[in-house]
Amino acid sequence: MINRKGISFMIVVYLILLAVIQAVTEFLPVSSMGHLCILEQYMGISHETGLLPEAILHLGTAAAIIFLFRKDLKKIGLGLLGMFMDILGNLNLYIHNKRTGARLGYARIVTGTYRKLGALLAVSMIPTVLLGLTGRRLALLSAESQIVPGTGFLLTGIFLLVTDLGKPDGKKGPKEASYDSAMWIGICQGLAVFPGISRMGFTLCAALLCGYSRKFAVRFSVFMSLPAIVGAFFTEIGNFGASEMTAGLGFAYIFAMIIAGFAGCLVIRSTLAMAQNVKLRYFAYYSFAAGIIVLVLNYAL
């Protein structure tokens, strides 16, 4: 960690730079985590407070997602609440039918686009949570390496290029999407716990290969990032009490989160439009270049 005896001007500058990088790369199929970890190493920032800096920066860009998609997210939230209430109602009906011998009908749980989308997101989070929790320690070790992010960039590039060459032309929206496809996409998101592996890149490619339309695939990838980001933050929040954490450093992290949020609001529409319209092969070429540069510098320096 850079000089704990007060927060220097340079650490604030570094955190602002990281916040901007996070805002730009988070909404593209390139690894924001990989960019952050590599830059932190060259800036001399270690991970004595775990992955708290990355989790906080991701929380900032999550705020931008919530702001942009607030109407859709509200409908999804209401849909999930409605499903929960219907499940409780059906449970009461089941108990009533068992006791009285009645044959009262049960309410249909998944009805409408937003309830289906909420159900898909809930299913996708199951493997994401399991992989995220089991891979957390390895992810922390990987953040101190250049080989893992460099390799991750290359793997992301391969997945993007293979998907692009396959020319997926899916038409599926939330109504046509299946729960098993949501599970596979959730697995891909869980693998992105390692720096260099792009969360959006892997989930976008998986969704396209499952027959999702490009527009819905991008939106689904963005929506499913929110619970993952919030969950990652709460797994790291205990590091605020680490001995290496100072009040000044904590305020610097919060300031960087705000910068990431504001920067994310400024760029999110344009970067999501790029993710939706630009051919995946160009993001693959960028990932290949990033991975090669990182690995060459690792062995050259």
Side-chain angles (χ1 to χ4, degrees), residues 106-147:
Y106 299 105
R108 186 179 176 185
I109 303 300
V110 181
T111 58
T113 300
Y114 286 98
R115 282 200 178 193
K116 178 65 177 296
L117 182 53
L120 290 169
L121 291 171
V123 169
S124 72
M125 288 312 301
I126 297 172
T128 294
V129 171
L130 294 176
L131 289 172
L133 291 176
T134 55
R136 181 169 170 256
R137 291 184 179 274
L138 287 175
L140 179 57
L141 294 174
S142 301
E144 298 285 358
S145 164
Q146 292 187 26
I147 296 177

Side-chain angles (χ1 to χ4, degrees), residues 21 43 46 57 71 73-74 78 116 140 150 155 162-163 172 174 183 204 214 234 256 259 271 283 296:
I21 295 295
M43 291 174 180
S46 65
L57 292 176
K71 293 182 180 179
L73 292 171
K74 180 180 178 180
L78 291 174
K116 178 65 177 296
L140 179 57
L155 290 174
V162 168
T163 303
K172 292 181 181 178
M183 185 72 73
L204 176 58
R214 180 85 174 256
F234 279 106
I259 296 296
T271 51
F283 298 113
V296 168

Side-chain angles (χ1 to χ4, degrees), residues 60-273:
T61 48
I65 297 172
I66 293 172
F67 176 76
L68 178 63
F69 294 103
R70 58 191 180 278
K71 293 182 180 179
D72 288 325
L73 292 171
K74 180 180 178 180
K75 291 178 181 179
I76 293 172
L78 291 174
L80 288 170
L81 179 61
M83 285 192 291
F84 178 72
M85 298 303 295
D86 283 344
I87 290 172
L88 292 180
N90 285 346
L91 180 60
N92 285 329
L93 281 175
Y94 175 78
I95 295 172
H96 174 78
N97 288 345
K98 280 291 185 180
R99 287 179 177 175
T100 64
R103 295 184 178 181
L104 298 177
Y106 299 105
R108 186 179 176 185
I109 303 300
V110 181
T111 58
T113 300
Y114 286 98
R115 282 200 178 193
K116 178 65 177 296
L117 182 53
L120 290 169
L121 291 171
V123 169
S124 72
M125 288 312 301
I126 297 172
T128 294
V129 171
L130 294 176
L131 289 172
L133 291 176
T134 55
R136 181 169 170 256
R137 291 184 179 274
L138 287 175
L140 179 57
L141 294 174
S142 301
E144 298 285 358
S145 164
Q146 292 187 26
I147 296 177
V148 174
T151 304
F153 280 125
L154 296 179
L155 290 174
T156 297
I158 292 172
F159 202 9
L160 289 168
L161 186 59
V162 168
T163 303
D164 185 84
L165 294 176
K167 301 184 185 301
D169 188 25
K171 305 294 184 183
K172 292 181 181 178
K175 291 184 178 180
E176 298 81 18
S178 61
Y179 296 111
D180 58 337
S181 67
M183 185 72 73
W184 282 112
I185 299 169
I187 291 173
C188 288
Q189 178 165 256
L191 294 174
V193 69
F194 299 103
I197 295 180
S198 169
R199 188 205 61 78
M200 173 168 270
F202 267 49
T203 56
L204 176 58
C205 289
L208 292 174
L209 292 174
C210 287
Y212 290 21
S213 69
R214 180 85 174 256
K215 181 179 180 180
F216 177 57
V218 170
R219 180 163 294 202
F220 188 73
S221 177
V222 169
F223 286 163
M224 68 187 294
S225 72
L226 289 175
I229 290 172
V230 174
F233 173 74
F234 279 106
T235 61
E236 297 295 332
I237 197 171
N239 287 311
F240 270 114
S243 59
E244 294 79 10
M245 177 64 71
T246 64
L249 184 59
F251 280 115
Y253 283 171
I254 299 300
F255 177 69
M257 179 185 70
I258 295 172
I259 296 296
F262 275 112
C265 287
L266 293 175
V267 304
I268 186 172
R269 291 185 184 276
S270 58
T271 51
L272 285 180

